[in-house]
Amino acid sequence: MADKTALVVGASRTIGLAVTGELLQRGWSVVATVRGQQSEEFRQLAKQAGGRVTAEQLDITEAAQISALRERLGGVSLDLL
């Protein structure tokens, strides 16, 4: 497992996908949030990451989903948001 872990919001598309890819190339683990369905590009990136990507469903406009994510990640130490 990588020494550093990042949380990337909106990791399935555009900038979030690019940031996720860059962090993976640098050896990081990534907790990646996606709002809806995962894009094909994200699925391929996660598949190639050797277990260093954890995908989490999250609509950041829903307070209950944010709280639920916080509970699920309670034991995870994050180095970057």
Side-chain angles (χ1 to χ4, degrees):
M1 191 104 183
D3 292 329
K4 296 183 180 180
T5 302
L7 173 65
V8 178
V9 177
S12 187
R13 293 183 267 157
T14 60
I15 294 170
L17 182 63
V19 169
T20 299
E22 182 65 28
L23 289 168
L24 290 170
Q25 285 182 350
R26 294 176 183 220
W28 288 58
S29 289
V30 177
V31 177
T33 71
V34 295
R35 183 173 48 188
Q37 291 185 336
Q38 298 174 4
S39 68
E40 181 60 30
E41 294 88 355
F42 176 80
R43 284 194 297 270
Q44 288 299 318
L45 185 64
K47 186 177 181 180
Q48 296 169 358
R52 292 185 294 128
V53 173
T54 302
E56 293 281 353
Q57 288 290 124
L58 176 69
D59 183 337
I60 200 161
T61 66
E62 299 291 331
Q65 288 187 25
I66 295 169
S67 294
L69 178 63
R70 184 181 66 210
E71 291 295 320
R72 290 193 305 270
L73 298 179
V76 177
S77 177
L78 297 172
D79 301 290
L80 179 69
L81 299 174

Coordinates of all heavy atoms in Angstrom, one line a residue:
M1 N 0.8 -1.2 0.0 CA 0.0 0.0 0.0 C 0.9 1.2 0.0 O 2.0 1.3 0.5 CB -0.9 0.0 1.2 CG -2.0 1.0 1.2 SD -3.5 0.2 0.8 CE -4.6 1.5 0.8
A2 N 0.4 2.3 -0.6 CA 1.1 3.5 -0.7 C 1.3 4.2 0.7 O 0.5 4.0 1.6 CB 0.4 4.5 -1.6
D3 N 2.3 5.0 0.8 CA 2.5 5.7 2.1 C 1.5 6.9 2.2 O 1.3 7.3 3.4 CB 3.9 6.3 2.1 CG 5.0 5.2 2.2 OD1 4.7 4.2 2.8 OD2 6.1 5.4 1.7
K4 N 1.0 7.4 1.1 CA 0.1 8.6 1.2 C -1.2 8.2 0.6 O -1.3 7.5 -0.4 CB 0.8 9.8 0.5 CG 2.0 10.3 1.2 CD 2.6 11.5 0.5 CE 3.8 11.9 1.2 NZ 4.4 13.1 0.5
T5 N -2.3 8.8 1.2 CA -3.6 8.6 0.7 C -4.3 10.0 0.4 O -4.3 10.8 1.3 CB -4.4 7.8 1.7 OG1 -3.8 6.5 1.9 CG2 -5.8 7.5 1.1
A6 N -5.0 10.1 -0.7 CA -5.7 11.3 -1.1 C -7.2 11.0 -1.2 O -7.5 9.9 -1.7 CB -5.1 11.9 -2.4
L7 N -8.0 12.0 -0.9 CA -9.4 11.9 -1.2 C -9.6 12.9 -2.4 O -9.4 14.1 -2.3 CB -10.3 12.4 0.0 CG -11.8 12.5 -0.3 CD1 -12.4 11.2 -0.6 CD2 -12.4 13.2 0.9
V8 N -10.1 12.3 -3.5 CA -10.4 13.1 -4.7 C -11.9 13.1 -5.0 O -12.5 12.0 -5.2 CB -9.7 12.6 -6.0 CG1 -10.0 13.4 -7.2 CG2 -8.2 12.6 -5.7
V9 N -12.5 14.3 -4.9 CA -14.0 14.4 -5.1 C -14.2 14.6 -6.6 O -13.5 15.4 -7.2 CB -14.6 15.6 -4.3 CG1 -16.0 15.8 -4.6 CG2 -14.3 15.4 -2.8
G10 N -15.2 13.9 -7.2 CA -15.4 14.0 -8.6 C -14.4 13.3 -9.5 O -14.0 13.8 -10.5
A11 N -13.9 12.1 -9.0 CA -12.8 11.5 -9.7 C -13.1 10.7 -11.0 O -12.2 10.3 -11.6 CB -12.2 10.5 -8.7
S12 N -14.4 10.6 -11.3 CA -14.8 9.8 -12.5 C -14.6 10.6 -13.8 O -14.6 10.0 -14.8 CB -16.2 9.4 -12.3 OG -16.5 8.5 -13.3
R13 N -14.5 11.9 -13.7 CA -14.4 12.7 -15.0 C -13.5 13.9 -14.9 O -13.1 14.3 -13.8 CB -15.8 13.2 -15.3 CG -16.8 12.1 -15.7 CD -18.1 12.7 -16.1 NE -18.9 12.8 -14.9 CZ -20.0 13.6 -14.7 NH1 -20.3 14.4 -15.6 NH2 -20.6 13.6 -13.6
T14 N -13.1 14.4 -16.0 CA -12.4 15.6 -16.2 C -11.2 15.8 -15.3 O -10.3 15.0 -15.2 CB -13.3 16.8 -16.3 OG1 -14.0 17.0 -15.0 CG2 -14.3 16.7 -17.4
I15 N -11.2 16.9 -14.5 CA -10.1 17.3 -13.7 C -9.9 16.2 -12.6 O -8.7 15.8 -12.3 CB -10.3 18.7 -13.1 CG1 -10.2 19.7 -14.2 CG2 -9.2 19.0 -12.0 CD1 -10.6 21.1 -13.7
G16 N -10.9 15.8 -12.0 CA -10.8 14.8 -10.9 C -10.2 13.5 -11.4 O -9.4 12.9 -10.7
L17 N -10.5 13.1 -12.6 CA -9.9 11.9 -13.2 C -8.5 12.1 -13.5 O -7.6 11.2 -13.2 CB -10.7 11.5 -14.5 CG -10.2 10.3 -15.3 CD1 -10.4 9.0 -14.4 CD2 -10.9 10.2 -16.6
A18 N -8.1 13.3 -14.0 CA -6.7 13.6 -14.3 C -5.9 13.6 -13.0 O -4.8 13.1 -12.9 CB -6.6 14.9 -15.0
V19 N -6.4 14.2 -11.9 CA -5.7 14.3 -10.6 C -5.6 12.9 -10.1 O -4.5 12.5 -9.6 CB -6.5 15.2 -9.6 CG1 -6.0 15.1 -8.2 CG2 -6.4 16.6 -10.1
T20 N -6.6 12.1 -10.1 CA -6.5 10.7 -9.7 C -5.4 9.9 -10.4 O -4.6 9.3 -9.8 CB -7.8 10.0 -9.9 OG1 -8.8 10.6 -9.1 CG2 -7.8 8.5 -9.4
G21 N -5.3 10.1 -11.7 CA -4.3 9.4 -12.5 C -2.9 9.9 -12.1 O -2.0 9.1 -12.0
E22 N -2.7 11.2 -11.9 CA -1.4 11.7 -11.5 C -1.0 11.2 -10.2 O 0.2 10.8 -10.0 CB -1.5 13.3 -11.6 CG -0.2 13.9 -11.2 CD 0.9 13.6 -12.3 OE1 0.6 13.4 -13.4 OE2 2.1 13.7 -11.8
L23 N -1.9 11.2 -9.2 CA -1.6 10.7 -7.9 C -1.2 9.2 -7.9 O -0.2 8.8 -7.3 CB -2.7 10.9 -6.9 CG -3.0 12.4 -6.5 CD1 -4.3 12.5 -5.8 CD2 -1.9 12.9 -5.7
L24 N -1.9 8.5 -8.7 CA -1.6 7.0 -8.8 C -0.2 6.9 -9.4 O 0.6 6.0 -9.0 CB -2.6 6.3 -9.7 CG -4.0 6.2 -9.0 CD1 -5.0 5.7 -10.0 CD2 -3.9 5.2 -7.8
Q25 N 0.1 7.7 -10.4 CA 1.5 7.6 -11.1 C 2.6 7.9 -10.1 O 3.7 7.4 -10.1 CB 1.6 8.5 -12.3 CG 0.9 8.0 -13.5 CD 1.0 9.0 -14.6 OE1 1.5 10.1 -14.5 NE2 0.6 8.5 -15.8
R26 N 2.2 8.7 -9.1 CA 3.2 9.1 -8.1 C 3.2 8.2 -6.9 O 3.9 8.5 -5.9 CB 2.9 10.6 -7.6 CG 3.2 11.6 -8.7 CD 2.8 13.0 -8.3 NE 3.0 13.9 -9.4 CZ 3.4 15.1 -9.2 NH1 3.8 15.6 -8.0 NH2 3.6 15.9 -10.3
G27 N 2.5 7.1 -6.9 CA 2.5 6.1 -5.9 C 1.5 6.2 -4.8 O 1.5 5.5 -3.8
W28 N 0.6 7.2 -4.9 CA -0.4 7.4 -3.9 C -1.5 6.4 -4.0 O -1.8 5.8 -5.0 CB -1.0 8.8 -4.0 CG -0.2 10.0 -3.6 CD1 1.0 10.3 -4.2 CD2 -0.5 11.0 -2.7 NE1 1.5 11.4 -3.6 CE2 0.6 11.9 -2.7 CE3 -1.5 11.2 -1.8 CZ2 0.7 13.0 -1.8 CZ3 -1.5 12.3 -1.0 CH2 -0.4 13.2 -1.0
S29 N -2.3 6.2 -2.9 CA -3.6 5.5 -2.9 C -4.6 6.6 -2.9 O -4.4 7.8 -2.5 CB -3.8 4.7 -1.6 OG -3.0 3.6 -1.5
V30 N -5.8 6.3 -3.5 CA -6.8 7.3 -3.7 C -8.1 6.8 -3.3 O -8.6 5.7 -3.7 CB -6.9 7.8 -5.2 CG1 -8.0 8.8 -5.4 CG2 -5.5 8.4 -5.7
V31 N -8.8 7.6 -2.5 CA -10.2 7.4 -2.2 C -10.9 8.3 -3.2 O -10.8 9.5 -3.1 CB -10.6 7.7 -0.7 CG1 -12.1 7.6 -0.5 CG2 -9.8 6.9 0.2
A32 N -11.6 7.7 -4.1 CA -12.2 8.5 -5.3 C -13.7 8.5 -5.2 O -14.3 7.5 -5.1 CB -11.7 7.8 -6.6
T33 N -14.3 9.7 -5.1 CA -15.7 9.8 -5.1 C -16.3 10.0 -6.4 O -15.7 10.7 -7.3 CB -16.2 10.9 -4.1 OG1 -15.9 12.2 -4.7 CG2 -15.6 10.8 -2.7
V34 N -17.4 9.4 -6.7 CA -18.1 9.5 -7.9 C -19.6 9.8 -7.6 O -20.1 9.2 -6.6 CB -18.0 8.3 -8.8 CG1 -16.5 8.1 -9.3 CG2 -18.5 7.0 -8.2
R35 N -20.2 10.7 -8.4 CA -21.6 11.0 -8.1 C -22.6 10.0 -8.7 O -23.5 9.6 -8.0 CB -21.9 12.4 -8.6 CG -23.3 12.9 -8.2 CD -23.6 14.3 -8.6 NE -23.1 14.6 -10.0 CZ -23.1 15.8 -10.5 NH1 -23.5 16.8 -9.8 NH2 -22.7 16.0 -11.7
G36 N -22.4 9.7 -9.9 CA -23.3 8.7 -10.5 C -22.5 7.5 -11.0 O -21.7 6.9 -10.2
Q37 N -22.7 7.1 -12.2 CA -22.0 5.9 -12.7 C -20.6 6.3 -12.9 O -20.2 7.4 -13.3 CB -22.6 5.4 -14.0 CG -24.0 4.8 -13.8 CD -24.5 4.3 -15.1 OE1 -24.1 4.7 -16.2 NE2 -25.4 3.3 -15.1
Q38 N -19.7 5.3 -12.7 CA -18.3 5.5 -13.0 C -18.1 5.5 -14.5 O -18.6 4.7 -15.2 CB -17.5 4.4 -12.4 CG -17.6 4.3 -10.9 CD -16.9 3.0 -10.3 OE1 -16.3 2.3 -11.1 NE2 -17.0 2.8 -9.0
S39 N -17.3 6.4 -15.0 CA -16.9 6.5 -16.4 C -16.1 5.3 -16.7 O -15.4 4.7 -15.9 CB -16.2 7.8 -16.7 OG -14.9 7.8 -16.1
E40 N -16.1 4.9 -18.0 CA -15.2 3.8 -18.5 C -13.7 4.1 -18.2 O -13.0 3.3 -17.8 CB -15.4 3.6 -20.0 CG -14.6 2.4 -20.5 CD -14.9 1.1 -19.8 OE1 -16.0 0.9 -19.4 OE2 -13.9 0.3 -19.8
E41 N -13.3 5.4 -18.4 CA -12.0 5.8 -18.2 C -11.6 5.6 -16.7 O -10.5 5.1 -16.4 CB -11.7 7.3 -18.6 CG -11.9 7.5 -20.0 CD -13.3 7.9 -20.4 OE1 -14.2 7.8 -19.6 OE2 -13.5 8.2 -21.6
F42 N -12.5 5.9 -15.8 CA -12.2 5.7 -14.4 C -12.1 4.3 -14.0 O -11.2 3.8 -13.3 CB -13.3 6.4 -13.5 CG -13.1 6.1 -12.0 CD1 -12.2 6.9 -11.3 CD2 -13.8 5.1 -11.4 CE1 -12.0 6.6 -10.0 CE2 -13.6 4.9 -10.1 CZ -12.7 5.6 -9.3
R43 N -13.0 3.5 -14.6 CA -13.0 2.0 -14.3 C -11.7 1.4 -14.8 O -11.1 0.6 -14.1 CB -14.2 1.3 -15.0 CG -15.5 1.5 -14.2 CD -16.5 0.5 -14.7 NE -16.9 0.7 -16.1 CZ -17.9 1.5 -16.5 NH1 -18.5 2.2 -15.7 NH2 -18.1 1.6 -17.8
Q44 N -11.2 1.8 -15.9 CA -9.9 1.3 -16.4 C -8.7 1.8 -15.5 O -7.8 1.0 -15.2 CB -9.7 1.7 -17.9 CG -10.6 1.1 -18.9 CD -10.4 -0.4 -18.9 OE1 -9.2 -0.9 -18.8 NE2 -11.5 -1.2 -18.9
L45 N -8.8 3.0 -15.1 CA -7.7 3.5 -14.3 C -7.7 2.8 -12.9 O -6.6 2.4 -12.5 CB -7.9 5.0 -14.0 CG -6.9 5.8 -13.3 CD1 -5.6 5.8 -14.0 CD2 -7.4 7.2 -13.0
A46 N -8.8 2.6 -12.4 CA -8.9 1.9 -11.1 C -8.5 0.4 -11.2 O -7.8 -0.1 -10.4 CB -10.3 1.9 -10.6
K47 N -8.8 -0.2 -12.4 CA -8.4 -1.6 -12.6 C -6.9 -1.7 -12.7 O -6.3 -2.7 -12.2 CB -9.1 -2.1 -13.9 CG -8.9 -3.5 -14.2 CD -9.6 -3.8 -15.5 CE -9.5 -5.3 -15.9 NZ -10.2 -5.6 -17.1
Q48 N -6.2 -0.7 -13.3 CA -4.8 -0.8 -13.5 C -4.0 -0.3 -12.2 O -2.8 -0.5 -12.2 CB -4.4 0.1 -14.6 CG -4.9 -0.3 -16.0 CD -4.7 0.7 -17.1 OE1 -4.3 1.8 -16.8 NE2 -5.2 0.4 -18.3
A49 N -4.7 0.2 -11.2 CA -4.1 0.8 -10.1 C -3.7 -0.3 -9.0 O -3.1 0.1 -8.0 CB -5.0 1.8 -9.4
G50 N -3.9 -1.5 -9.2 CA -3.5 -2.5 -8.3 C -4.0 -2.4 -6.9 O -3.3 -2.6 -5.9
G51 N -5.3 -2.0 -6.8 CA -5.9 -2.0 -5.5 C -5.7 -0.7 -4.7 O -6.1 -0.5 -3.6
R52 N -5.1 0.3 -5.4 CA -4.8 1.6 -4.7 C -6.0 2.6 -4.9 O -5.8 3.7 -4.4 CB -3.5 2.2 -5.2 CG -2.3 1.4 -4.8 CD -1.0 2.0 -5.1 NE -0.9 2.0 -6.6 CZ -0.6 3.1 -7.3 NH1 -0.3 4.3 -6.7 NH2 -0.4 3.1 -8.6
V53 N -7.1 2.2 -5.5 CA -8.2 3.1 -5.7 C -9.4 2.5 -4.9 O -9.7 1.3 -5.1 CB -8.6 3.3 -7.1 CG1 -9.9 4.1 -7.3 CG2 -7.5 4.0 -7.9
T54 N -10.0 3.3 -4.1 CA -11.3 2.9 -3.4 C -12.3 3.9 -3.9 O -12.2 5.1 -3.7 CB -11.2 3.0 -1.9 OG1 -10.1 2.2 -1.4 CG2 -12.5 2.6 -1.2
A55 N -13.3 3.4 -4.6 CA -14.4 4.2 -5.2 C -15.5 4.3 -4.1 O -15.9 3.3 -3.5 CB -14.9 3.6 -6.5
E56 N -16.0 5.5 -3.9 CA -17.1 5.8 -3.0 C -18.1 6.7 -3.7 O -17.8 7.6 -4.4 CB -16.6 6.6 -1.8 CG -15.6 5.9 -0.9 CD -16.4 4.9 0.0 OE1 -17.6 4.9 0.1 OE2 -15.7 4.1 0.7
Q57 N -19.4 6.3 -3.6 CA -20.5 7.1 -4.1 C -20.7 8.3 -3.2 O -20.7 8.2 -2.0 CB -21.8 6.3 -4.1 CG -21.8 5.2 -5.2 CD -21.9 5.8 -6.6 OE1 -21.1 5.4 -7.4 NE2 -22.9 6.6 -6.9
L58 N -20.8 9.5 -3.9 CA -21.0 10.7 -3.1 C -21.6 11.8 -4.0 O -21.0 12.2 -5.0 CB -19.7 11.2 -2.5 CG -19.7 12.6 -1.8 CD1 -20.5 12.4 -0.5 CD2 -18.4 13.1 -1.5
D59 N -22.7 12.4 -3.6 CA -23.2 13.6 -4.1 C -22.9 14.7 -3.1 O -23.6 14.7 -2.0 CB -24.7 13.5 -4.4 CG -25.3 14.7 -5.1 OD1 -24.7 15.8 -4.9 OD2 -26.3 14.6 -5.7
I60 N -22.0 15.5 -3.4 CA -21.5 16.5 -2.4 C -22.6 17.5 -1.9 O -22.4 18.2 -0.9 CB -20.3 17.2 -2.9 CG1 -19.5 17.8 -1.7 CG2 -20.6 18.2 -3.9 CD1 -18.1 18.1 -2.0
T61 N -23.7 17.6 -2.7 CA -24.8 18.5 -2.3 C -25.7 17.8 -1.2 O -26.6 18.5 -0.8 CB -25.6 18.9 -3.5 OG1 -26.3 17.8 -4.0 CG2 -24.7 19.6 -4.5
E62 N -25.5 16.6 -0.9 CA -26.3 15.8 0.1 C -25.6 15.7 1.4 O -24.7 14.9 1.5 CB -26.7 14.5 -0.5 CG -27.5 14.5 -1.8 CD -28.9 15.1 -1.6 OE1 -29.5 14.9 -0.4 OE2 -29.5 15.7 -2.5
A63 N -26.0 16.4 2.4 CA -25.3 16.4 3.7 C -25.3 15.0 4.3 O -24.3 14.6 4.9 CB -26.0 17.3 4.7
A64 N -26.4 14.2 4.1 CA -26.4 12.8 4.6 C -25.3 12.0 4.0 O -24.7 11.1 4.7 CB -27.8 12.2 4.5
Q65 N -25.1 12.1 2.7 CA -24.1 11.3 2.0 C -22.7 11.7 2.5 O -21.8 10.9 2.6 CB -24.2 11.5 0.5 CG -25.4 10.8 -0.1 CD -25.4 10.8 -1.6 OE1 -24.4 10.9 -2.2 NE2 -26.6 10.7 -2.2
I66 N -22.5 13.0 2.8 CA -21.2 13.5 3.3 C -20.9 12.9 4.7 O -19.8 12.3 4.9 CB -21.1 15.0 3.3 CG1 -21.2 15.6 1.9 CG2 -19.8 15.5 4.1 CD1 -21.4 17.1 1.9
S67 N -21.9 12.9 5.5 CA -21.8 12.3 6.8 C -21.5 10.8 6.8 O -20.7 10.3 7.5 CB -23.1 12.5 7.7 OG -23.2 13.9 7.9
A68 N -22.2 10.1 5.9 CA -22.0 8.7 5.7 C -20.6 8.4 5.2 O -20.0 7.4 5.7 CB -23.1 8.1 4.7
L69 N -20.1 9.2 4.3 CA -18.7 9.0 3.8 C -17.7 9.2 5.0 O -16.8 8.4 5.2 CB -18.4 9.9 2.7 CG -17.0 9.8 2.1 CD1 -16.7 8.4 1.6 CD2 -16.7 10.9 1.1
R70 N -18.0 10.2 5.8 CA -17.1 10.5 6.9 C -17.1 9.2 7.9 O -16.0 8.8 8.4 CB -17.5 11.7 7.7 CG -16.6 12.0 8.8 CD -17.0 13.3 9.6 NE -18.3 12.9 10.3 CZ -19.2 13.8 10.6 NH1 -19.1 15.1 10.2 NH2 -20.3 13.5 11.2
E71 N -18.2 8.6 8.1 CA -18.3 7.4 8.9 C -17.5 6.3 8.3 O -16.8 5.6 9.0 CB -19.8 7.0 9.2 CG -20.5 8.0 10.0 CD -20.0 8.1 11.5 OE1 -19.6 7.0 12.0 OE2 -19.9 9.2 12.0
R72 N -17.7 6.1 7.0 CA -17.0 5.0 6.3 C -15.5 5.1 6.3 O -14.8 4.2 6.4 CB -17.5 4.8 4.9 CG -18.9 4.3 4.8 CD -19.3 3.9 3.4 NE -19.1 4.9 2.4 CZ -20.1 5.8 2.0 NH1 -21.2 5.8 2.6 NH2 -19.8 6.6 1.0
L73 N -15.1 6.4 6.3 CA -13.6 6.7 6.3 C -13.0 7.0 7.6 O -11.9 7.4 7.7 CB -13.4 7.8 5.3 CG -13.7 7.6 3.9 CD1 -13.4 8.9 3.0 CD2 -13.1 6.4 3.3
G74 N -13.8 6.7 8.7 CA -13.4 7.0 10.0 C -12.0 6.6 10.4 O -11.3 7.2 11.1
G75 N -11.5 5.4 9.9 CA -10.2 4.9 10.3 C -9.1 5.2 9.2 O -8.0 4.8 9.4
V76 N -9.5 5.9 8.2 CA -8.5 6.2 7.1 C -7.8 7.5 7.4 O -8.4 8.5 7.6 CB -9.3 6.3 5.8 CG1 -8.3 6.6 4.6 CG2 -10.0 4.9 5.5
S77 N -6.5 7.5 7.3 CA -5.7 8.7 7.4 C -5.5 9.3 6.1 O -4.9 8.7 5.2 CB -4.4 8.4 8.1 OG -3.6 9.5 8.2
L78 N -6.0 10.5 5.9 CA -5.9 11.2 4.6 C -4.8 12.2 4.7 O -4.7 13.0 5.6 CB -7.2 11.9 4.2 CG -8.4 10.9 4.0 CD1 -9.6 11.8 3.9 CD2 -8.2 10.0 2.8
D79 N -3.9 12.3 3.6 CA -2.8 13.2 3.5 C -3.2 14.4 2.6 O -2.5 15.4 2.7 CB -1.6 12.5 3.0 CG -1.2 11.4 3.9 OD1 -0.7 11.7 5.0 OD2 -1.3 10.2 3.5
L80 N -4.2 14.2 1.8 CA -4.5 15.3 0.8 C -6.0 15.2 0.5 O -6.6 14.1 0.3 CB -3.7 15.1 -0.5 CG -4.0 16.0 -1.6 CD1 -3.5 17.4 -1.3 CD2 -3.3 15.5 -2.9
L81 N -6.7 16.3 0.5 CA -8.1 16.4 0.1 C -8.2 17.2 -1.2 O -7.6 18.2 -1.3 CB -8.9 17.1 1.2 CG -9.0 16.4 2.5 CD1 -9.7 17.3 3.5 CD2 -9.6 15.1 2.4

